[in-house]
Amino acid sequence: MCEIHAQFRFYEELNDFLPTDQRKQTIDYHIDGHPGIKDPIEALGVPHSEVELIVVNGESVGFDYQLQDGDRVAVYPVFEALDVSPLVRLRDRSLRETRFILDVHLGKLARYLRLLGFDSLYRNDYDDPEIIATAIAEHRIILTRDRRLLFNSTVTHGYFIRATEAVQQTREVLQRLDLANSIHPFQRCIACNGLLEPVPKATILNRLPPRTQRDYEEFSQCTACKRVYWKGSHYDHMTQRIHELACHEKWAVSQP
């Protein structure tokens, strides 16, 4: 079996997965045989689900491309903000209907994404096989702090969250996936992810505190867990939090 020599260069956020001495520079790679190009990419530390575009010797290729001696490989991250569909050969289609499933480390991020209107599944007892199976069955993007999850060969759409604090994590997701124009707050239950719909005051009157019964007339209810929402002091707090979450995005809160 002959040894082949290739050169790899990773761009932008993909460098986060590389050792410091390999970031933002050409990496010499030696291997026996002609592996599919996904294997050396992951051997170098980059999950395939973080890759949107692979260019070999100036031409876009898919994960099944067999690495050849002398290949020069450029690997690019997900470009949700740009339409690169004529170039991409890695997956059938982008998930333009943005829906998420989050691992057990990202409970607060899930609540913030729901507050902004994004369909975001989360449970604190999810295991990796369940996350992957749900993501595939429901065409969801996996958000995780465990990069090992994204190395699973069946994962097609996933993102490794770099930030450790929930507000910064939310901003990171909005920016990296270009979601500023997809924010529609107060449409989902932050507790369970169910959709909210208007509910007549009379039908939930016995569930309301006396002062709320007196002062408010408009209410919404979660279609799943039946939690009731109204525009009290907590509404003003949540509106402020939305501005905080999206303060780096070209977006302004629209009142429902």
Side-chain angles (χ1 to χ4, degrees), residues 36-70:
I37 201 163
K38 183 170 74 171
D39 292 341
I41 287 173
E42 294 202 321
L44 288 166
V46 177
H48 69 275
S49 57
E50 291 268 338
V51 176
E52 181 81 346
L53 180 67
I54 304 172
V55 177
V56 178
N57 305 324
E59 182 177 349
S60 175
V61 302
F63 282 129
D64 58 350
Y65 174 80
Q66 303 294 301
L67 196 65
Q68 304 295 315
D69 188 51

CSV table of all heavy atoms in Angstrom, one decimal, residues 36-70:
chain,number,residue,atom,x,y,z
A,36,GLY,N,-11.5,8.0,2.0
A,36,GLY,CA,-12.5,9.0,1.7
A,36,GLY,C,-12.1,10.3,2.5
A,36,GLY,O,-11.5,10.2,3.6
A,37,ILE,N,-12.3,11.4,1.9
A,37,ILE,CA,-11.7,12.7,2.5
A,37,ILE,C,-12.3,13.0,3.8
A,37,ILE,O,-11.6,13.7,4.6
A,37,ILE,CB,-11.9,13.8,1.5
A,37,ILE,CG1,-10.9,14.9,1.8
A,37,ILE,CG2,-13.4,14.3,1.5
A,37,ILE,CD1,-10.8,15.9,0.7
A,38,LYS,N,-13.5,12.5,4.2
A,38,LYS,CA,-14.0,12.7,5.5
A,38,LYS,C,-13.1,12.2,6.6
A,38,LYS,O,-13.0,12.8,7.7
A,38,LYS,CB,-15.4,12.2,5.7
A,38,LYS,CG,-16.0,12.5,7.0
A,38,LYS,CD,-17.5,12.1,7.0
A,38,LYS,CE,-17.7,10.6,7.1
A,38,LYS,NZ,-19.1,10.2,7.4
A,39,ASP,N,-12.4,11.0,6.3
A,39,ASP,CA,-11.6,10.4,7.4
A,39,ASP,C,-10.4,11.3,7.8
A,39,ASP,O,-10.2,11.5,9.0
A,39,ASP,CB,-11.1,9.0,6.9
A,39,ASP,CG,-12.3,8.0,6.7
A,39,ASP,OD1,-13.3,8.3,7.3
A,39,ASP,OD2,-12.1,7.0,6.0
A,40,PRO,N,-9.6,11.8,6.9
A,40,PRO,CA,-8.5,12.7,7.4
A,40,PRO,C,-9.0,14.0,8.0
A,40,PRO,O,-8.4,14.5,8.9
A,40,PRO,CB,-7.7,12.9,6.1
A,40,PRO,CG,-8.6,12.6,4.9
A,40,PRO,CD,-9.5,11.5,5.4
A,41,ILE,N,-10.1,14.5,7.5
A,41,ILE,CA,-10.7,15.7,8.1
A,41,ILE,C,-11.0,15.5,9.6
A,41,ILE,O,-10.6,16.3,10.5
A,41,ILE,CB,-11.9,16.2,7.3
A,41,ILE,CG1,-11.5,16.8,6.0
A,41,ILE,CG2,-12.7,17.3,8.2
A,41,ILE,CD1,-12.7,17.2,5.1
A,42,GLU,N,-11.6,14.4,9.9
A,42,GLU,CA,-12.0,14.1,11.3
A,42,GLU,C,-10.8,13.6,12.0
A,42,GLU,O,-10.6,13.9,13.3
A,42,GLU,CB,-13.1,13.0,11.3
A,42,GLU,CG,-14.4,13.6,10.8
A,42,GLU,CD,-15.6,12.9,11.3
A,42,GLU,OE1,-15.6,11.6,11.4
A,42,GLU,OE2,-16.6,13.5,11.5
A,43,ALA,N,-9.8,12.9,11.4
A,43,ALA,CA,-8.6,12.6,12.1
A,43,ALA,C,-7.8,13.8,12.5
A,43,ALA,O,-7.1,13.7,13.5
A,43,ALA,CB,-7.7,11.7,11.1
A,44,LEU,N,-7.9,14.9,11.8
A,44,LEU,CA,-7.3,16.1,12.2
A,44,LEU,C,-8.0,16.9,13.2
A,44,LEU,O,-7.5,17.9,13.8
A,44,LEU,CB,-7.0,17.0,10.9
A,44,LEU,CG,-6.0,16.5,10.0
A,44,LEU,CD1,-6.1,17.2,8.6
A,44,LEU,CD2,-4.6,16.6,10.5
A,45,GLY,N,-9.2,16.4,13.6
A,45,GLY,CA,-10.0,16.9,14.7
A,45,GLY,C,-11.2,17.7,14.4
A,45,GLY,O,-11.9,18.2,15.3
A,46,VAL,N,-11.6,17.8,13.1
A,46,VAL,CA,-12.8,18.6,12.8
A,46,VAL,C,-14.0,17.7,12.5
A,46,VAL,O,-14.0,16.9,11.6
A,46,VAL,CB,-12.5,19.4,11.5
A,46,VAL,CG1,-13.7,20.2,11.1
A,46,VAL,CG2,-11.3,20.4,11.8
A,47,PRO,N,-15.1,17.9,13.2
A,47,PRO,CA,-16.3,17.1,13.0
A,47,PRO,C,-16.9,17.4,11.6
A,47,PRO,O,-16.9,18.5,11.1
A,47,PRO,CB,-17.3,17.5,14.0
A,47,PRO,CG,-16.5,18.2,15.1
A,47,PRO,CD,-15.3,18.8,14.4
A,48,HIS,N,-17.3,16.3,10.9
A,48,HIS,CA,-17.8,16.5,9.5
A,48,HIS,C,-19.0,17.4,9.4
A,48,HIS,O,-19.3,18.1,8.5
A,48,HIS,CB,-18.1,15.2,8.8
A,48,HIS,CG,-19.3,14.4,9.4
A,48,HIS,ND1,-19.2,13.6,10.6
A,48,HIS,CD2,-20.6,14.4,9.1
A,48,HIS,CE1,-20.4,13.2,10.8
A,48,HIS,NE2,-21.2,13.6,10.0
A,49,SER,N,-19.8,17.4,10.5
A,49,SER,CA,-21.1,18.2,10.5
A,49,SER,C,-20.8,19.7,10.6
A,49,SER,O,-21.7,20.5,10.4
A,49,SER,CB,-22.0,17.7,11.7
A,49,SER,OG,-21.3,17.9,12.9
A,50,GLU,N,-19.6,20.1,10.9
A,50,GLU,CA,-19.2,21.5,11.0
A,50,GLU,C,-18.7,22.0,9.6
A,50,GLU,O,-18.4,23.2,9.4
A,50,GLU,CB,-18.1,21.7,12.0
A,50,GLU,CG,-18.6,21.5,13.4
A,50,GLU,CD,-19.1,22.8,14.1
A,50,GLU,OE1,-18.7,23.9,13.6
A,50,GLU,OE2,-19.8,22.8,15.0
A,51,VAL,N,-18.6,21.1,8.6
A,51,VAL,CA,-18.0,21.4,7.3
A,51,VAL,C,-19.1,21.6,6.3
A,51,VAL,O,-20.0,20.8,6.2
A,51,VAL,CB,-17.1,20.3,6.9
A,51,VAL,CG1,-16.5,20.6,5.5
A,51,VAL,CG2,-15.9,20.1,7.9
A,52,GLU,N,-19.0,22.7,5.6
A,52,GLU,CA,-20.0,23.0,4.5
A,52,GLU,C,-19.4,22.8,3.1
A,52,GLU,O,-20.2,22.5,2.2
A,52,GLU,CB,-20.5,24.4,4.7
A,52,GLU,CG,-21.5,24.9,3.7
A,52,GLU,CD,-23.0,24.4,4.0
A,52,GLU,OE1,-23.1,23.5,4.9
A,52,GLU,OE2,-23.9,24.9,3.4
A,53,LEU,N,-18.1,23.1,3.0
A,53,LEU,CA,-17.6,23.1,1.6
A,53,LEU,C,-16.1,22.5,1.7
A,53,LEU,O,-15.3,22.9,2.5
A,53,LEU,CB,-17.6,24.5,1.1
A,53,LEU,CG,-17.0,24.7,-0.3
A,53,LEU,CD1,-17.9,24.1,-1.4
A,53,LEU,CD2,-16.9,26.2,-0.6
A,54,ILE,N,-15.8,21.6,0.8
A,54,ILE,CA,-14.5,21.1,0.6
A,54,ILE,C,-14.1,21.3,-0.8
A,54,ILE,O,-14.8,20.9,-1.8
A,54,ILE,CB,-14.4,19.5,0.9
A,54,ILE,CG1,-14.9,19.2,2.3
A,54,ILE,CG2,-13.0,19.0,0.8
A,54,ILE,CD1,-15.1,17.7,2.6
A,55,VAL,N,-12.9,21.9,-1.0
A,55,VAL,CA,-12.4,22.2,-2.3
A,55,VAL,C,-11.1,21.5,-2.4
A,55,VAL,O,-10.1,21.8,-1.7
A,55,VAL,CB,-12.3,23.7,-2.5
A,55,VAL,CG1,-11.6,24.0,-3.9
A,55,VAL,CG2,-13.6,24.4,-2.4
A,56,VAL,N,-11.0,20.6,-3.4
A,56,VAL,CA,-9.7,19.9,-3.7
A,56,VAL,C,-9.2,20.3,-5.0
A,56,VAL,O,-9.9,20.2,-6.1
A,56,VAL,CB,-9.9,18.4,-3.7
A,56,VAL,CG1,-8.6,17.6,-4.0
A,56,VAL,CG2,-10.5,17.9,-2.3
A,57,ASN,N,-8.0,20.9,-5.0
A,57,ASN,CA,-7.3,21.4,-6.2
A,57,ASN,C,-8.3,22.3,-7.0
A,57,ASN,O,-8.3,22.2,-8.3
A,57,ASN,CB,-6.9,20.2,-7.1
A,57,ASN,CG,-6.0,19.2,-6.3
A,57,ASN,OD1,-5.2,19.6,-5.5
A,57,ASN,ND2,-6.2,17.9,-6.6
A,58,GLY,N,-9.0,23.1,-6.3
A,58,GLY,CA,-9.9,24.1,-7.0
A,58,GLY,C,-11.3,23.7,-7.3
A,58,GLY,O,-12.0,24.4,-7.9
A,59,GLU,N,-11.6,22.4,-7.0
A,59,GLU,CA,-13.0,21.9,-7.3
A,59,GLU,C,-13.7,21.4,-6.1
A,59,GLU,O,-13.1,20.6,-5.3
A,59,GLU,CB,-12.8,20.8,-8.4
A,59,GLU,CG,-14.2,20.2,-8.8
A,59,GLU,CD,-14.0,19.2,-9.9
A,59,GLU,OE1,-12.9,19.0,-10.4
A,59,GLU,OE2,-15.0,18.5,-10.2
A,60,SER,N,-15.0,21.7,-5.9
A,60,SER,CA,-15.8,21.2,-4.8
A,60,SER,C,-16.0,19.7,-4.9
A,60,SER,O,-16.2,19.2,-6.0
A,60,SER,CB,-17.1,21.9,-4.8
A,60,SER,OG,-17.9,21.4,-3.8
A,61,VAL,N,-15.8,19.0,-3.8
A,61,VAL,CA,-16.0,17.6,-3.8
A,61,VAL,C,-16.9,17.2,-2.6
A,61,VAL,O,-17.1,18.0,-1.7
A,61,VAL,CB,-14.6,16.8,-3.6
A,61,VAL,CG1,-13.7,17.2,-4.8
A,61,VAL,CG2,-14.0,17.1,-2.3
A,62,GLY,N,-17.4,15.9,-2.6
A,62,GLY,CA,-18.2,15.4,-1.5
A,62,GLY,C,-17.3,14.6,-0.6
A,62,GLY,O,-16.1,14.3,-0.8
A,63,PHE,N,-17.9,14.1,0.5
A,63,PHE,CA,-17.2,13.4,1.5
A,63,PHE,C,-16.7,12.0,1.0
A,63,PHE,O,-15.8,11.4,1.5
A,63,PHE,CB,-18.1,13.1,2.7
A,63,PHE,CG,-18.3,14.3,3.6
A,63,PHE,CD1,-19.5,14.7,4.0
A,63,PHE,CD2,-17.2,14.9,4.1
A,63,PHE,CE1,-19.7,15.8,4.9
A,63,PHE,CE2,-17.3,16.0,5.0
A,63,PHE,CZ,-18.6,16.4,5.4
A,64,ASP,N,-17.3,11.5,-0.1
A,64,ASP,CA,-16.8,10.3,-0.7
A,64,ASP,C,-15.6,10.4,-1.6
A,64,ASP,O,-15.1,9.4,-2.1
A,64,ASP,CB,-18.0,9.6,-1.5
A,64,ASP,CG,-18.5,10.5,-2.6
A,64,ASP,OD1,-18.1,11.7,-2.6
A,64,ASP,OD2,-19.3,10.0,-3.4
A,65,TYR,N,-15.1,11.6,-1.8
A,65,TYR,CA,-13.9,11.8,-2.6
A,65,TYR,C,-12.8,11.0,-2.0
A,65,TYR,O,-12.5,11.1,-0.8
A,65,TYR,CB,-13.6,13.3,-2.7
A,65,TYR,CG,-12.3,13.5,-3.5
A,65,TYR,CD1,-12.2,13.5,-4.8
A,65,TYR,CD2,-11.1,13.8,-2.8
A,65,TYR,CE1,-11.0,13.8,-5.5
A,65,TYR,CE2,-9.9,14.0,-3.4
A,65,TYR,CZ,-9.9,14.0,-4.8
A,65,TYR,OH,-8.7,14.2,-5.4
A,66,GLN,N,-12.0,10.3,-2.9
A,66,GLN,CA,-10.9,9.5,-2.4
A,66,GLN,C,-9.6,10.4,-2.5
A,66,GLN,O,-9.2,10.8,-3.6
A,66,GLN,CB,-10.7,8.3,-3.3
A,66,GLN,CG,-11.9,7.4,-3.3
A,66,GLN,CD,-12.2,6.8,-1.9
A,66,GLN,OE1,-11.3,6.1,-1.3
A,66,GLN,NE2,-13.4,7.0,-1.4
A,67,LEU,N,-9.0,10.6,-1.4
A,67,LEU,CA,-7.8,11.4,-1.3
A,67,LEU,C,-6.7,10.9,-2.2
A,67,LEU,O,-6.4,9.7,-2.2
A,67,LEU,CB,-7.3,11.5,0.1
A,67,LEU,CG,-6.3,12.7,0.4
A,67,LEU,CD1,-7.0,14.0,0.3
A,67,LEU,CD2,-5.8,12.5,1.9
A,68,GLN,N,-6.1,11.8,-3.0
A,68,GLN,CA,-5.0,11.4,-3.9
A,68,GLN,C,-3.7,12.1,-3.5
A,68,GLN,O,-3.7,13.1,-2.8
A,68,GLN,CB,-5.4,11.8,-5.3
A,68,GLN,CG,-6.7,11.3,-5.8
A,68,GLN,CD,-6.7,9.8,-5.9
A,68,GLN,OE1,-5.8,9.2,-6.5
A,68,GLN,NE2,-7.8,9.2,-5.5
A,69,ASP,N,-2.6,11.5,-3.9
A,69,ASP,CA,-1.3,12.0,-3.7
A,69,ASP,C,-1.2,13.4,-4.3
A,69,ASP,O,-1.5,13.6,-5.5
A,69,ASP,CB,-0.2,11.1,-4.2
A,69,ASP,CG,1.2,11.6,-3.8
A,69,ASP,OD1,1.4,11.8,-2.6
A,69,ASP,OD2,2.1,11.7,-4.6
A,70,GLY,N,-0.7,14.4,-3.5
A,70,GLY,CA,-0.5,15.7,-4.0
A,70,GLY,C,-1.7,16.6,-3.9
A,70,GLY,O,-1.6,17.8,-4.3
